[in-house]
Coordinates of all heavy atoms in Angstrom, one line a residue:
N163 N 131.0 98.8 100.3 CA 131.3 97.6 101.1 C 130.2 96.5 100.9 O 130.1 95.7 101.8 CB 131.4 98.0 102.6 CG 130.0 98.4 103.2 OD1 129.1 98.8 102.4 ND2 129.9 98.3 104.5
F164 N 129.6 96.5 99.8 CA 128.6 95.5 99.6 C 129.2 94.1 99.5 O 128.7 93.2 100.1 CB 127.8 95.8 98.2 CG 126.4 95.2 98.2 CD1 125.3 96.0 98.4 CD2 126.2 93.9 98.1 CE1 124.0 95.5 98.4 CE2 124.9 93.3 98.1 CZ 123.8 94.2 98.2
H165 N 130.4 94.0 98.9 CA 131.1 92.8 98.9 C 131.4 92.3 100.3 O 131.2 91.1 100.6 CB 132.4 92.9 98.1 CG 133.3 91.7 98.1 ND1 133.0 90.6 97.4 CD2 134.4 91.4 98.8 CE1 133.9 89.6 97.6 NE2 134.8 90.1 98.4
D166 N 131.8 93.2 101.2 CA 132.1 92.8 102.6 C 130.8 92.2 103.3 O 130.9 91.2 104.0 CB 132.6 94.0 103.4 CG 133.9 94.5 102.9 OD1 134.6 93.8 102.2 OD2 134.2 95.7 103.2
A167 N 129.7 92.8 103.0 CA 128.4 92.4 103.5 C 128.1 90.9 103.1 O 127.7 90.1 103.9 CB 127.3 93.3 103.2
V168 N 128.3 90.7 101.8 CA 128.0 89.4 101.2 C 128.9 88.3 101.8 O 128.4 87.2 102.2 CB 128.1 89.4 99.7 CG1 128.0 88.0 99.1 CG2 127.1 90.4 99.1
I169 N 130.2 88.6 101.9 CA 131.1 87.6 102.4 C 130.9 87.4 103.9 O 130.9 86.2 104.3 CB 132.6 88.1 102.1 CG1 132.8 88.2 100.6 CG2 133.6 87.1 102.8 CD1 132.6 87.0 99.8
K170 N 130.6 88.4 104.6 CA 130.3 88.2 106.0 C 129.1 87.3 106.3 O 129.2 86.5 107.1 CB 130.1 89.6 106.7 CG 129.8 89.6 108.2 CD 129.6 91.0 108.7 CE 129.1 90.9 110.2 NZ 130.2 90.3 111.1
V171 N 128.1 87.6 105.5 CA 126.9 86.8 105.7 C 127.1 85.3 105.3 O 126.7 84.4 106.1 CB 125.7 87.4 104.8 CG1 124.5 86.4 104.7 CG2 125.3 88.7 105.4
F172 N 127.9 85.1 104.3 CA 128.2 83.7 103.9 C 128.9 83.0 105.0 O 128.6 81.9 105.4 CB 129.0 83.6 102.6 CG 129.3 82.2 102.2 CD1 128.5 81.6 101.2 CD2 130.4 81.5 102.7 CE1 128.8 80.3 100.9 CE2 130.7 80.2 102.4 CZ 129.8 79.6 101.4
V173 N 130.0 83.6 105.5 CA 130.8 83.0 106.5 C 130.0 82.8 107.8 O 130.1 81.7 108.4 CB 132.0 83.9 106.9 CG1 132.8 83.4 108.0 CG2 132.9 84.0 105.6
E174 N 129.2 83.7 108.2 CA 128.4 83.5 109.4 C 127.4 82.4 109.2 O 127.2 81.6 110.2 CB 127.7 84.9 109.8 CG 128.7 85.9 110.3 CD 128.0 87.1 110.9 OE1 126.7 87.1 110.9 OE2 128.7 88.0 111.4
M175 N 126.7 82.4 108.1 CA 125.7 81.3 107.9 C 126.4 80.0 107.7 O 125.8 79.0 108.2 CB 124.9 81.7 106.6 CG 124.0 82.9 106.8 SD 123.0 83.3 105.3 CE 121.8 82.0 105.4
Y176 N 127.6 79.9 107.2 CA 128.3 78.7 107.0 C 128.7 78.2 108.4 O 128.5 77.0 108.8 CB 129.6 78.9 106.2 CG 130.4 77.7 106.1 CD1 130.2 76.7 105.2 CD2 131.6 77.5 106.9 CE1 131.0 75.5 105.1 CE2 132.4 76.4 106.9 CZ 132.1 75.4 106.0 OH 132.9 74.3 105.9
N177 N 129.2 79.1 109.3 CA 129.6 78.7 110.6 C 128.4 78.2 111.5 O 128.6 77.5 112.4 CB 130.4 79.8 111.3 CG 131.7 80.1 110.7 OD1 132.3 79.2 110.1 ND2 132.2 81.3 110.8
K178 N 127.2 78.8 111.2 CA 126.0 78.4 111.9 C 125.4 77.1 111.4 O 124.3 76.7 111.9 CB 125.0 79.5 111.9 CG 125.4 80.7 112.7 CD 124.3 81.8 112.5 CE 124.7 83.1 113.3 NZ 123.8 84.2 113.0
G179 N 125.9 76.6 110.3 CA 125.4 75.4 109.7 C 124.2 75.6 108.8 O 123.4 74.7 108.5
L180 N 124.1 76.9 108.4 CA 122.9 77.2 107.5 C 123.3 77.1 106.0 O 122.4 77.2 105.1 CB 122.5 78.7 107.8 CG 122.0 78.9 109.2 CD1 121.7 80.4 109.4 CD2 120.9 78.1 109.6
I181 N 124.6 77.0 105.7 CA 125.0 76.8 104.3 C 125.9 75.5 104.3 O 126.7 75.3 105.2 CB 125.9 78.0 103.9 CG1 125.0 79.2 103.7 CG2 126.6 77.7 102.6 CD1 125.7 80.5 103.3
Y182 N 125.7 74.7 103.3 CA 126.5 73.5 103.1 C 126.8 73.2 101.7 O 126.1 73.8 100.8 CB 125.7 72.3 103.8 CG 124.5 72.0 103.1 CD1 124.4 71.0 102.1 CD2 123.2 72.6 103.4 CE1 123.2 70.7 101.4 CE2 122.1 72.3 102.8 CZ 122.1 71.3 101.8 OH 120.9 71.0 101.1
R183 N 127.7 72.3 101.4 CA 128.0 71.9 100.1 C 127.5 70.5 99.9 O 127.7 69.6 100.8 CB 129.5 71.9 99.8 CG 129.9 71.6 98.4 CD 131.3 71.9 98.1 NE 131.8 71.5 96.8 CZ 131.6 72.1 95.6 NH1 130.9 73.2 95.7 NH2 132.0 71.6 94.5
G184 N 126.8 70.2 98.8 CA 126.2 68.9 98.6 C 125.9 68.6 97.1 O 126.0 69.5 96.3
K185 N 125.5 67.4 96.9 CA 125.2 67.0 95.5 C 123.7 67.0 95.3 O 123.0 66.2 96.0 CB 125.8 65.7 95.2 CG 125.9 65.3 93.7 CD 126.6 64.0 93.5 CE 128.0 63.9 94.0 NZ 128.9 64.8 93.1
R186 N 123.2 67.8 94.5 CA 121.8 67.9 94.2 C 121.5 68.2 92.7 O 122.4 68.6 92.0 CB 121.0 68.9 95.0 CG 120.9 68.6 96.5 CD 120.2 69.7 97.2 NE 118.8 69.9 96.8 CZ 117.8 69.2 97.3 NH1 118.0 68.4 98.3 NH2 116.5 69.4 96.9
L187 N 120.3 67.9 92.3 CA 120.0 68.2 90.9 C 119.7 69.7 90.7 O 119.0 70.3 91.5 CB 118.7 67.4 90.5 CG 118.6 67.0 89.0 CD1 119.7 66.2 88.5 CD2 117.2 66.3 88.8
V188 N 120.3 70.2 89.6 CA 120.1 71.7 89.4 C 119.9 71.9 87.9 O 120.1 71.0 87.0 CB 121.4 72.5 89.8 CG1 121.6 72.4 91.3 CG2 122.6 72.0 89.0
N189 N 119.4 73.1 87.5 CA 119.3 73.5 86.1 C 120.7 73.7 85.6 O 121.4 74.6 86.2 CB 118.5 74.7 85.9 CG 117.0 74.5 86.3 OD1 116.4 73.6 85.9 ND2 116.5 75.4 87.2
W190 N 121.2 73.0 84.6 CA 122.5 73.2 84.1 C 122.5 73.8 82.7 O 121.9 73.2 81.8 CB 123.3 71.9 84.2 CG 124.8 72.1 83.8 CD1 125.4 71.9 82.6 CD2 125.8 72.5 84.8 NE1 126.7 72.2 82.7 CE2 127.0 72.5 84.0 CE3 125.8 72.8 86.1 CZ2 128.2 72.9 84.6 CZ3 127.0 73.2 86.7 CH2 128.2 73.2 85.9
D191 N 123.2 74.9 82.5 CA 123.4 75.5 81.2 C 124.6 75.0 80.5 O 125.7 75.4 81.0 CB 123.4 77.0 81.3 CG 123.2 77.7 80.0 OD1 124.0 77.3 79.0 OD2 122.5 78.6 79.8
P192 N 124.6 74.1 79.5 CA 125.8 73.5 78.9 C 126.6 74.6 78.2 O 127.8 74.3 77.9 CB 125.2 72.5 78.0 CG 123.8 72.2 78.5 CD 123.3 73.5 79.0
H193 N 126.0 75.7 77.8 CA 126.8 76.7 77.1 C 127.7 77.5 78.0 O 128.9 77.6 77.8 CB 125.8 77.7 76.3 CG 126.5 78.8 75.7 ND1 127.2 78.7 74.5 CD2 126.7 80.1 76.0 CE1 127.8 79.8 74.1 NE2 127.5 80.7 75.1
F194 N 127.1 77.9 79.1 CA 127.9 78.7 80.1 C 128.5 77.8 81.1 O 129.3 78.3 81.9 CB 127.0 79.7 80.8 CG 126.5 80.8 79.9 CD1 125.2 81.0 79.6 CD2 127.4 81.7 79.3 CE1 124.7 82.0 78.8 CE2 127.0 82.8 78.5 CZ 125.6 82.9 78.2
E195 N 128.2 76.5 81.1 CA 128.7 75.5 82.0 C 128.5 76.0 83.5 O 129.5 76.1 84.3 CB 130.2 75.3 81.7 CG 130.5 74.7 80.4 CD 131.9 74.4 80.1 OE1 132.5 73.6 80.9 OE2 132.5 74.9 79.2
T196 N 127.3 76.3 83.8 CA 127.0 76.7 85.2 C 125.6 76.3 85.5 O 124.7 76.1 84.7 CB 127.1 78.2 85.3 OG1 126.9 78.6 86.7 CG2 126.2 79.0 84.5
A197 N 125.4 76.2 86.8 CA 124.0 76.1 87.3 C 123.3 77.4 87.1 O 123.9 78.5 87.2 CB 124.0 75.7 88.8
I198 N 122.0 77.4 86.9 CA 121.2 78.6 86.8 C 119.9 78.4 87.6 O 119.5 77.3 87.9 CB 120.9 79.0 85.3 CG1 120.1 77.9 84.6 CG2 122.1 79.3 84.5 CD1 119.6 78.3 83.2
S199 N 119.2 79.5 87.9 CA 118.0 79.5 88.6 C 116.8 79.1 87.7 O 116.9 79.3 86.5 CB 117.7 80.8 89.4 OG 117.4 81.8 88.4
D200 N 115.7 78.8 88.3 CA 114.4 78.5 87.6 C 114.0 79.8 86.8 O 113.5 79.7 85.7 CB 113.3 78.1 88.5 CG 113.5 76.7 89.1 OD1 114.3 76.0 88.5 OD2 112.8 76.4 90.1
L201 N 114.3 81.0 87.3 CA 113.9 82.2 86.7 C 114.7 82.4 85.4 O 114.2 83.2 84.5 CB 114.1 83.4 87.6 CG 113.3 84.7 87.2 CD1 111.8 84.4 87.3 CD2 113.7 85.8 88.1
E202 N 115.8 81.8 85.3 CA 116.6 82.0 84.1 C 116.4 80.9 83.0 O 117.1 80.7 82.0 CB 118.1 81.9 84.5 CG 118.5 83.2 85.3 CD 119.8 83.0 86.0 OE1 120.0 82.0 86.7 OE2 120.7 83.9 85.9
V203 N 115.3 80.1 83.3 CA 114.9 79.0 82.4 C 113.6 79.4 81.7 O 112.7 79.8 82.3 CB 114.7 77.7 83.1 CG1 114.2 76.6 82.2 CG2 116.0 77.3 83.8
E204 N 113.6 79.3 80.4 CA 112.4 79.6 79.6 C 111.8 78.2 79.1 O 112.5 77.5 78.4 CB 112.7 80.4 78.4 CG 113.0 81.9 78.7 CD 113.3 82.7 77.5 OE1 113.9 82.2 76.5 OE2 112.8 83.8 77.4
N205 N 110.6 77.9 79.5 CA 110.0 76.7 79.1 C 109.2 77.0 77.8 O 108.2 77.7 77.8 CB 109.1 76.1 80.2 CG 109.9 75.5 81.3 OD1 110.6 74.5 81.1 ND2 109.8 76.1 82.5
I206 N 109.6 76.4 76.7 CA 109.1 76.7 75.4 C 108.5 75.4 74.8 O 109.1 74.4 74.8 CB 110.2 77.3 74.5 CG1 110.7 78.6 75.1 CG2 109.6 77.6 73.1 CD1 111.9 79.1 74.3
E207 N 107.3 75.5 74.2 CA 106.7 74.4 73.5 C 107.4 74.2 72.2 O 107.5 75.1 71.4 CB 105.2 74.6 73.3 CG 104.5 73.4 72.8 CD 103.0 73.6 72.8 OE1 102.5 74.1 71.7 OE2 102.3 73.2 73.7
V208 N 107.9 72.9 72.0 CA 108.5 72.6 70.7 C 108.0 71.3 70.2 O 107.3 70.5 71.0 CB 110.1 72.5 70.9 CG1 110.7 73.8 71.4 CG2 110.4 71.4 71.9
A209 N 108.2 71.0 69.0 CA 107.8 69.7 68.4 C 108.7 68.6 69.0 O 109.9 68.7 68.9 CB 108.0 69.7 66.9
G210 N 108.1 67.6 69.6 CA 108.9 66.6 70.2 C 108.4 65.2 69.9 O 107.5 65.0 69.1
H211 N 109.0 64.2 70.5 CA 108.7 62.8 70.2 C 108.6 62.1 71.6 O 109.4 62.4 72.5 CB 109.8 62.1 69.4 CG 110.0 62.8 68.0 ND1 109.1 62.7 67.0 CD2 111.0 63.6 67.7 CE1 109.6 63.4 66.0 NE2 110.7 64.0 66.3
M212 N 107.7 61.1 71.6 CA 107.6 60.2 72.8 C 107.8 58.8 72.3 O 107.0 58.2 71.5 CB 106.3 60.3 73.4 CG 106.0 59.4 74.6 SD 106.7 60.1 76.1 CE 105.5 61.3 76.6
W213 N 109.0 58.2 72.6 CA 109.4 56.9 72.2 C 108.9 55.9 73.2 O 108.9 56.1 74.4 CB 110.9 56.7 72.1 CG 111.5 57.4 70.9 CD1 111.6 56.9 69.6 CD2 112.0 58.8 70.8 NE1 112.2 57.8 68.8 CE2 112.4 59.0 69.5 CE3 112.1 59.8 71.8 CZ2 113.0 60.2 69.1 CZ3 112.7 61.0 71.4 CH2 113.1 61.2 70.1
H214 N 108.4 54.7 72.7 CA 107.9 53.7 73.6 C 108.8 52.4 73.5 O 109.0 51.9 72.4 CB 106.4 53.3 73.3 CG 105.4 54.4 73.6 ND1 104.6 54.3 74.6 CD2 105.2 55.6 73.0 CE1 103.8 55.4 74.6 NE2 104.2 56.2 73.6
F215 N 109.4 52.0 74.6 CA 110.4 50.9 74.6 C 110.0 49.8 75.5 O 109.3 50.0 76.5 CB 111.7 51.4 74.9 CG 112.3 52.4 73.9 CD1 112.8 53.6 74.4 CD2 112.3 52.2 72.6 CE1 113.3 54.6 73.5 CE2 112.8 53.1 71.6 CZ 113.3 54.3 72.1
K216 N 110.5 48.6 75.3 CA 110.3 47.5 76.2 C 111.6 47.2 77.0 O 112.7 47.2 76.6 CB 110.1 46.2 75.3 CG 108.9 46.2 74.4 CD 108.8 45.0 73.5 CE 107.6 45.0 72.6 NZ 107.6 43.8 71.8
Y217 N 111.3 47.1 78.3 CA 112.4 46.7 79.3 C 112.1 45.2 79.6 O 111.2 44.9 80.4 CB 112.3 47.5 80.6 CG 112.9 48.9 80.4 CD1 112.6 49.8 79.4 CD2 113.8 49.4 81.4 CE1 113.2 51.0 79.3 CE2 114.3 50.7 81.3 CZ 114.0 51.5 80.2 OH 114.6 52.7 80.1
P218 N 112.9 44.3 79.0 CA 112.7 42.8 79.3 C 112.8 42.5 80.7 O 113.7 43.0 81.4 CB 113.8 42.2 78.4 CG 114.2 43.2 77.4 CD 114.0 44.5 78.1
L219 N 112.0 41.6 81.2 CA 112.1 41.1 82.6 C 113.3 40.2 82.7 O 113.7 39.4 81.7 CB 110.8 40.3 83.0 CG 109.5 41.2 82.9 CD1 108.4 40.3 83.4 CD2 109.6 42.4 83.8
A220 N 113.9 40.2 83.8 CA 115.2 39.4 84.0 C 114.8 37.9 84.0 O 113.7 37.4 84.4 CB 115.8 39.7 85.4

Side-chain angles (χ1 to χ4, degrees):
N163 69 339
F164 207 103
H165 175 74
D166 296 342
V168 174
I169 298 304
K170 178 180 176 65
V171 168
F172 181 96
V173 173
E174 289 189 358
M175 293 181 73
Y176 176 82
N177 290 335
K178 292 176 181 177
L180 303 177
I181 289 178
Y182 65 93
R183 185 169 173 80
K185 196 180 297 292
R186 287 180 66 90
L187 206 62
V188 296
N189 296 308
W190 187 264
D191 190 314
H193 175 78
F194 291 115
E195 297 184 59
T196 183
I198 62 174
S199 72
D200 289 344
L201 197 64
E202 294 163 309
V203 177
E204 291 181 320
N205 289 296
I206 301 173
E207 187 175 87
V208 299
H211 304 284
M212 179 80 79
W213 287 271
H214 293 253
F215 297 130
K216 299 176 180 178
Y217 280 48
L219 300 180

